[in-house]
Amino acid sequence: MPDRETIPSAPAPEVSERAAALPQDALRIASGYAFTGPALHLGALLWDGQCLPDAQIRVPLAMLNRHGLVAGATGTGKTKTLQLIAEQLSAQGVPVFLADIKGDLSGIAAPGRQDARVGGRAADVHQSWTATGFPAEYYALGGIGRGIPVRATVTGFGPVLLSKVLRLNRTQEQSLALIFHYADSKGLELIDLKDLRAVVTFLTSDEGRPELKTIGGLSAATAGVILRSLTAFEAQGASDFFGEPEFDTSELLRTGDDGRGTVSVLELTAVQDRPQLFSTFLMWLLADLFHDLPELGDVDKPRLVFFLDEAHLLFDDASEAFLESITQTVRLIRSKGVGVFFVTQTPKDVPADVLAQLGNRVQHALRAFTPDDQKALNATVKTFPKSPYDLEEVLTNLGTGEAVVTVLSEKGAPTPVAATRLRAPESLMGPLGQDALERAVAESPLYERYAQAVDRESAYERLERGRGAKGPDEMRDAASRGSREPREEERPSAVEQVVGSGVFQSLARSVGTQIGREITRSLFGTARRSGRRRR
């Protein structure tokens, strides 16, 4: 890694001698960003129409697990801000997760190209710009798109998140949870969607209908609604996202051989027409991390920083239970060293209880072309601390790559509001070439582990085998035999154990279920899995 001065490791002075000559209000703002510990550089202060490079705007590294918001109208530079922050986190040894919805973040692995625009921006903010690529892994949901496939089992995904994707109401959501409970109690593993559909179909059949009596509050009509929702969901191609080997979210915590944090880029361009699915899947990743990571308390730097682009999709048509779960997860995951940044157009896209947890704010320009735009602008201004700026005027006049910033200081207090000209990212600002991307995916040590889907015996196969039974009692007995010992051919071979293939990892995680596991669920109903690899 080249020598760089982007992130200081030594204590910084309160303000430079040249900064001391700033106007009084500008000096007061600059003093609020003069931190003594490691910090990420965002840019230089804008004051009275001028860029003041001696007044640097920064965010303390230790405060990046206090969550944040990057907002602004389309085309104002939000994506480049994500890239700028992600680069500096990686340089400090912090792993980063990026949801790449538009497909233009893959270039973070390649050095950037300096042109007149980049050179001019670097000169404006006194940035020592060096073309630099960062260690990256590329993922794709279910293997749709270019990337290492990321899959979840239906059990791992859980009923709360699945209810949101299926657009179930509160009563139906509770009924789905009862179905999950029934499958758990009978040892029927819910690996993919056909497993869940098989269990629901069984419960609504003549043979399985008596079983409904053992599940309090689940009606045949509600089970039928869930079954129809599942069928429609599968018709949209969602089956690819569920199955094994299930992705181990601890992979997101890796660092490179040079100590820099790995940037995990999840490509979502191939599933843009299914926004509710991918936004909920992102929440599964976060919930799964929350479930597995130990408590850390206050940390010198985050363990992982998570960026959720198009964050409003998480909250559209969300149930009250889902919103409560998001709020609780965001509130509690900070103590596990994980920071979450929501990326959207306006703060009003994020529920107030969640917004209250976001201490670091980068607000790009907003437009006020309509009465609704003006209302959103007014609401945004009210979310900022008092400042000497006329924020309504500033926010409507910011240029691309400029933003209004306030972060948490090293003492946890909000810094003064600062209009800022942001630095330029040092990696490639655009997509990585297709050949380079495919080569990076194929050469990843994770590719062999997750590339090949596994379809072993689970609820669907066991219930199908039971269909050959002579009567309802035998059919129900077949459903109850899910907790049997695995057949000899299902046990992993010694070679698989040594190699650690995807098949072996998949079987290892679910062995507890095969012998009658006890499932505990997180805030989102996700299941704790056995056989976790720890890093």
Side-chain angles (χ1 to χ4, degrees):
M1 178 179 174
D3 292 333
R4 306 173 62 197
E5 297 179 357
T6 304
I7 305 174
S9 57
E14 288 193 3
V15 289
S16 68
E17 292 182 4
R18 287 179 294 180
L22 296 173
Q24 190 63 35
D25 284 335
L27 179 61
R28 188 178 300 112
I29 294 171
S31 298
Y33 291 87
F35 310 120
T36 58
L40 310 188
H41 284 253
L42 298 179
L45 181 68
L46 288 171
W47 184 259
D48 199 21
Q50 300 294 317
C51 181
L52 307 177
D54 295 320
Q56 290 291 308
I57 305 303
R58 307 185 301 155
V59 54
L61 181 63
M63 292 292 110
L64 267 297
N65 70 327
R66 302 297 180 95
H67 312 317
L69 176 73
V70 178
T74 300
T76 56
K78 297 190 299 294
T79 301
K80 301 302 179 286
T81 298
L82 298 189
Q83 194 167 342
L84 174 68
I85 297 174
E87 290 175 352
Q88 296 185 66
L89 285 167
S90 174
Q92 285 282 22
V94 178
V96 178
F97 176 90
L98 300 177
D100 190 9
I101 292 178
K102 297 183 287 291
D104 51 5
L105 286 169
S106 60
I108 198 166
R113 302 188 185 102
Q114 186 167 15
D115 54 22
R117 191 172 180 180
V118 170
R121 175 57 59 92
D124 284 348
V125 300
H126 284 187
Q127 176 185 7
S128 178
W129 192 92
T130 303
T132 310
F134 295 82
E137 292 281 4
Y138 298 97
Y139 300 98
L141 286 186
I144 296 180
R146 294 183 295 273
I148 298 164
V150 176
R151 303 180 185 91
T153 64
V154 169
T155 290
F157 205 71
V160 176
L161 288 173
L162 191 58
S163 294
K164 182 178 188 296
V165 177
L166 296 178
R167 298 179 180 272
L168 302 182
N169 62 31
R170 177 64 171 168
T171 299
Q172 294 158 356
E173 178 183 318
Q174 293 171 341
S175 297
L176 183 62
L178 291 172
I179 293 170
F180 270 67
H181 173 72
Y182 171 80
D184 288 345
S185 66
K186 297 297 183 180
L188 295 170
E189 292 184 83
L190 302 178
I191 303 300
D192 51 29
L193 289 180
K194 74 177 186 296
D195 289 323
L196 181 56
R197 178 161 44 81
V199 172
V200 180
T201 299
F202 169 68
L203 289 174
T204 55
S205 68
D206 292 338
E207 296 87 354
R209 195 166 292 119
E211 294 288 285
L212 289 176
K213 296 178 182 179
T214 68
I215 309 176
L218 177 62
S219 69
T222 299
V225 170
I226 294 172
L227 183 61
R228 290 192 293 274
S229 298
L230 276 173
T231 301
F233 191 42
E234 289 178 296
Q236 297 171 11
S239 298
D240 296 298
F241 306 121
F242 295 92
E244 291 182 319
E246 185 171 43
F247 183 70
D248 188 339
T249 51
S250 68
E251 308 285 10
L252 304 178
L253 305 176
R254 299 164 64 229
T255 56
D257 294 337
D258 58 3
R260 292 185 295 171
T262 297
V263 181
S264 299
V265 182
L266 180 64
E267 180 187 332
L268 296 168
T269 52
V271 292
Q272 286 190 62
D273 57 339
R274 283 164 277 183
Q276 197 164 37
L277 175 62
F278 72 67
S279 64
T280 308
F281 209 101
L282 293 178
M283 209 63 218
W284 169 77
L285 289 174
L286 186 60
D288 197 71
L289 282 166
F290 170 82
H291 203 265
D292 285 351
L293 293 177
E295 294 283 335
L296 289 180
D298 292 331
V299 292
D300 294 333
K301 64 181 182 181
R303 173 183 271 154
L304 171 71
V305 177
F306 212 90
F307 290 90
L308 293 174
D309 203 358
E310 301 294 340
H312 66 279
L313 297 172
L314 277 173
F315 308 109
D316 290 347
D317 302 320
S319 68
E320 183 178 346
F322 183 80
L323 292 176
E324 289 175 355
S325 297
I326 290 180
T327 304
Q328 289 177 332
T329 300
V330 171
R331 181 182 297 121
L332 298 174
I333 204 169
R334 178 192 69 78
S335 64
K336 300 194 174 190
V338 177
V340 183
F341 275 69
F342 293 90
V343 186
T344 189
Q345 293 203 2
T346 72
K348 65 177 292 188
D349 293 336
V350 181
D353 288 344
V354 175
L355 190 63
Q357 308 298 318
L358 312 182
N360 301 298
R361 303 276 298 281
V362 180
Q363 177 67 58
H364 288 264
L366 291 174
R367 309 305 179 209
F369 299 136
T370 69
D372 285 343
D373 290 342
Q374 185 63 48
K375 186 181 298 184
L377 175 61
N378 294 337
T380 298
V381 169
K382 291 178 181 178
T383 65
F384 281 91
K386 291 182 178 180
S387 77
Y389 291 102
D390 181 344
L391 284 181
E392 282 197 25
E393 180 180 354
V394 170
L395 286 173
T396 53
N397 287 285
L398 289 170
T400 301
E402 297 176 346
V404 170
V405 174
T406 180
V407 300
L408 293 180
S409 71
E410 292 166 312
K411 296 181 179 180
T415 59
V417 176
T420 306
R421 180 162 295 165
L422 299 167
R423 292 187 168 212
E426 298 184 338
S427 57
L428 181 64
M429 290 188 281
L432 198 64
Q434 181 174 337
D435 291 344
L437 179 56
E438 290 178 351
R439 184 166 55 253
V441 172
E443 292 176 354
S444 169
L446 304 181
Y447 183 76
E448 183 179 354
R449 185 177 301 159
Y450 294 107
Q452 185 62 48
V454 178
D455 187 13
R456 61 186 176 83
E457 183 175 270
S458 48
Y460 172 79
E461 288 79 14
R462 290 168 186 168
L463 290 172
E464 281 293 302
R465 190 168 61 245
R467 289 183 183 277
K470 295 179 180 179
D473 290 341
E474 292 183 23
M475 180 71 176
R476 288 192 293 273
D477 289 343
S480 299
R481 285 197 293 269
S483 58
R484 61 170 177 77
E485 288 292 330
R487 299 194 304 272
E488 183 65 31
E489 59 267 28
E490 293 176 20
R491 298 190 181 112
S493 68
V495 173
E496 286 174 321
Q497 294 181 49
V498 173
V499 173
S501 67
V503 175
F504 173 70
Q505 294 295 338
S506 176
L507 290 171
R509 286 182 193 168
S510 57
V511 67
T513 300
Q514 291 175 313
I515 62 175
R517 70 178 177 215
E518 176 184 354
I519 291 181
T520 58
R521 301 194 184 280
S522 73
L523 294 171
F524 280 95
T526 56
R528 182 179 296 277
R529 292 169 291 184
S530 59
R532 282 285 201 183
R533 295 184 303 280
R534 290 292 178 189
R535 287 174 174 77

